[in-house]
Amino acid sequence: MQHATEPAPLPPNRTGAVAANTIWDIMGDRTDNSAGDSGAAVNDPLLTTPTARLMALAMGTDIRVVDLPADHSVGLAGLVGIGSDEDGEPRSTIGLTDDLDDDLRADVLAFGLAVLVGTPEVLAESPDGILGISKERLPQADNGPGNLAWHMLQTCGRESPSTTFRLMILQSDD
């Protein structure tokens, strides 16, 4: 049985393999940051949804969250990765597909955050440091990033059926 955090090859999809050369381009686009700073408080009363609270947590820990076009990521709910910024400094990024409803968006964001803070070593399984996050929920994990994500969501006021997703190594078009 495959552990939920072990990367698995991305299955073929109707658009072919994920275009690995465009992933870095997509993950380089920043989502709207209307606050304009990285010091947002997670307990701010204006952050009324679990997604907003998790976005504030990501900003407060310098994790960039970007939107991914769903047509470039068929079968994926998102991406999680560690790379470098323009100055060569390490940069953690979570990409969320733009077709997720708010509940699934919160669950995938929490899982991505949990991977980055709890098990970042799994990203070394991928040649480019980026793993896909499947849209398919796995049974709720009793440990690991799925369990950590569940606790984050509970703190943010969300009850979720499962916050455990499969991580996948992305296949290049080349």
Side-chain angles (χ1 to χ4, degrees):
M1 184 168 129
Q2 186 174 26
H3 188 272
T5 59
E6 290 180 17
L10 183 66
N13 57 48
R14 65 177 180 255
T15 62
V18 172
N21 56 341
T22 62
I23 290 172
W24 280 110
D25 294 334
I26 292 169
M27 300 242 334
D29 294 334
R30 190 168 182 113
T31 57
D32 180 35
N33 176 4
S34 56
D37 68 315
S38 62
V42 175
N43 293 323
D44 186 331
L46 297 176
L47 301 175
T48 58
T49 67
T51 301
R53 291 180 181 133
L54 290 167
M55 291 291 285
L57 177 63
M59 285 186 346
T61 55
D62 289 328
I63 295 173
R64 183 172 39 183
V65 179
V66 298
D67 285 322
L68 300 173
D71 59 338
H72 286 285
S73 45
V74 174
L76 295 177
L79 301 170
V80 59
I82 298 177
S84 300
D85 65 12
E86 309 80 42
D87 300 325
E89 295 294 318
R91 187 67 187 256
S92 299
T93 304
I94 298 170
L96 302 171
T97 58
D98 58 12
D99 64 343
L100 303 178
D101 65 39
D102 200 51
D103 289 341
L104 186 55
R105 188 173 187 81
D107 295 353
V108 173
L109 178 54
F111 183 75
L113 288 166
V115 167
L116 288 170
V117 301
T119 56
E121 66 276 2
V122 301
L123 297 169
E125 301 284 331
S126 172
D128 59 3
I130 299 173
L131 293 173
I133 302 173
S134 155
K135 279 190 180 180
E136 178 187 345
R137 292 179 193 270
L138 298 175
Q140 182 57 44
D142 292 333
N143 56 31
N147 187 280
L148 178 56
W150 185 86
H151 285 283
M152 280 193 268
L153 283 168
Q154 288 286 311
T155 302
C156 291
R158 170 149 165 70
E159 298 275 337
S160 177
S162 174
T163 55
T164 304
F165 298 88
R166 184 173 316 282
L167 290 172
M168 300 175 290
I169 296 173
L170 304 174
Q171 302 296 318
S172 174
D173 280 338
D174 300 333

